[in-house]
Amino acid sequence: MIDLQGRVAIVTGAGGGLGRSHARLLAQRGARVVVNDLGEGAETVAREIVDAGGQAWAAQGSVADAGRMQAIVDDTLNAWGRVDILVNNAGILRDKTFAKMSLDDFKLVVDVHLMGAVNCTKAVWDAMREQNYGRIVMTTSSSGLYGNFGQSNYSAAKLALVGLMQTLALEGARYDIRVNCIAPTAATQMMEGILPAEQLAMLRPELVSPAVLALVSDAAPTRAIVCAGAGGFEIANITLSEGIYIADEPRSAETLLARWAELTDRRGETVPDQGWAQYRRELEKAGFVAPETAPA
């Protein structure tokens, strides 16, 4: 049984949908929860938690406002002395094809999803380092991992969060800060009108939240991309193929295309432990002995 007694969690975008489900589950497991959202939904969810016997308070504000997010974290530290868990859940949609999308709508989505997560994570980072403990969840999406028609802004922001997770997990490891991604499929306000009602009924947010609970527990992994929805769970990986080395043939684009099937053969592919793995592999193919880790 995962017990979050003594832990303090901040959940963004928690006034409804996925965030509400995450916040309520963390509170049920004993965490004190800061419920963040833009509107009155934050107050409603905090009250639901308190009425159920938990501890929570509402903190209104946009994740795109770095100053406001820092103030919320400061208030949390003053009230409860620590921040153990951050679930970056807040998000918006501005769907259009790239040809029809304004740059303002592109930037807005990036500001909320990517910079919103950056703002919140930056606000808790020093406190987590000082206490030698932290669990951070980024909300990515299959749209970012694999693309989705009409969501170039959303896809770009969501995949950027995976890159942020990869590096923060490396930088936080010595402080027991574990950083992971959740890629949810759930019936939220953002999904209304996209799927038929009978399918939406199968995609209840509370079927995603167990994955979030696992990712914020003491036994959480780090650098995992967990996909979850309708009771199904999967792991997404960014892999590196074994690839090829062009030695005797011309090192040209034509050679590369001629050997494309060999290049893209997925047998023997790996999940690199860090970006240096690409440098190491390519140097070793060329006959050099490369260090196991990147130069400091």
Side-chain angles (χ1 to χ4, degrees):
M1 176 72 74
I2 295 172
D3 186 357
L4 298 181
Q5 291 288 337
R7 299 299 184 197
V8 175
I10 298 175
V11 183
T12 70
L18 283 164
R20 172 179 176 268
S21 178
H22 301 338
R24 285 167 59 94
L25 180 57
L26 299 188
Q28 287 167 13
R29 294 303 182 97
R32 290 169 285 179
V33 181
V34 179
V35 181
N36 163 256
D37 213 317
L38 283 173
E40 295 179 358
E43 299 281 355
T44 301
V45 174
R47 189 162 53 249
E48 290 173 352
I49 290 171
V50 172
D51 289 347
Q55 297 184 64
W57 60 277
Q60 294 184 353
S62 170
V63 294
D65 183 343
R68 177 58 184 147
M69 293 304 104
Q70 185 64 63
I72 290 172
V73 171
D74 291 344
D75 288 346
T76 304
L77 292 171
N78 289 333
W80 286 335
R82 58 190 297 119
V83 177
D84 302 285
I85 295 164
L86 170 65
V87 181
N88 287 303
N89 172 74
I92 59 171
L93 288 177
R94 293 293 186 273
D95 289 358
K96 284 186 180 178
T97 62
F98 191 64
K100 296 179 180 178
M101 183 180 298
S102 71
L103 289 178
D104 285 343
D105 275 350
F106 198 104
K107 185 175 184 299
L108 177 62
V109 168
V110 171
D111 283 346
V112 172
H113 287 274
L114 174 58
M115 291 310 301
V118 170
N119 292 338
C120 296
T121 303
K122 183 66 172 175
V124 303
W125 193 252
D126 285 346
M128 288 183 172
R129 279 167 36 109
E130 289 170 8
Q131 68 196 20
N132 284 301
Y133 187 92
R135 300 291 184 266
I136 298 172
V137 176
M138 308 290 184
T139 303
T140 186
S141 170
S142 56
S143 296
L145 296 169
Y146 309 112
N148 216 22
F149 190 90
Q151 291 193 315
S152 58
N153 48 4
Y154 185 75
S155 299
K158 288 304 191 184
L159 189 56
L161 287 168
V162 175
L164 179 64
M165 175 268 288
Q166 299 277 23
T167 292
L168 292 185
L170 293 173
E171 294 182 5
R174 70 178 67 181
Y175 305 102
D176 195 20
I177 300 173
R178 305 182 193 179
V179 190
N180 294 284
C181 283
I182 183 76
T185 305
T188 65
Q189 281 187 329
M190 291 198 301
M191 294 291 287
E192 289 178 4
I194 296 176
L195 293 176
E198 62 271 19
Q199 293 181 26
L200 289 173
M202 298 174 64
L203 297 172
R204 300 190 306 278
E206 57 267 30
L207 296 179
V208 172
S209 296
V212 172
L213 177 60
L215 294 178
V216 303
S217 68
D218 286 352
T222 195
R223 297 182 70 191
I225 306 169
V226 181
C227 305
F233 301 90
E234 303 83 29
I235 291 290
N237 288 306
I238 298 176
T239 64
L240 187 68
S241 74
E242 190 64 30
I244 62 175
Y245 178 66
I246 300 175
D248 300 327
E249 303 168 85
R251 289 169 173 165
S252 65
E254 289 79 8
T255 301
L256 194 64
L257 289 172
R259 297 181 65 182
W260 194 257
E262 186 182 354
L263 172 64
T264 57
D265 188 337
R266 299 191 64 172
R267 288 174 295 182
E269 69 181 4
T270 58
V271 179
D273 59 348
Q274 56 182 314
W276 178 251
Q278 178 186 340
Y279 293 84
R280 186 172 68 244
R281 175 168 294 186
E282 290 167 354
L283 287 170
E284 289 174 350
K285 283 180 181 178
F288 296 97
V289 177
E292 286 294 316
T293 58

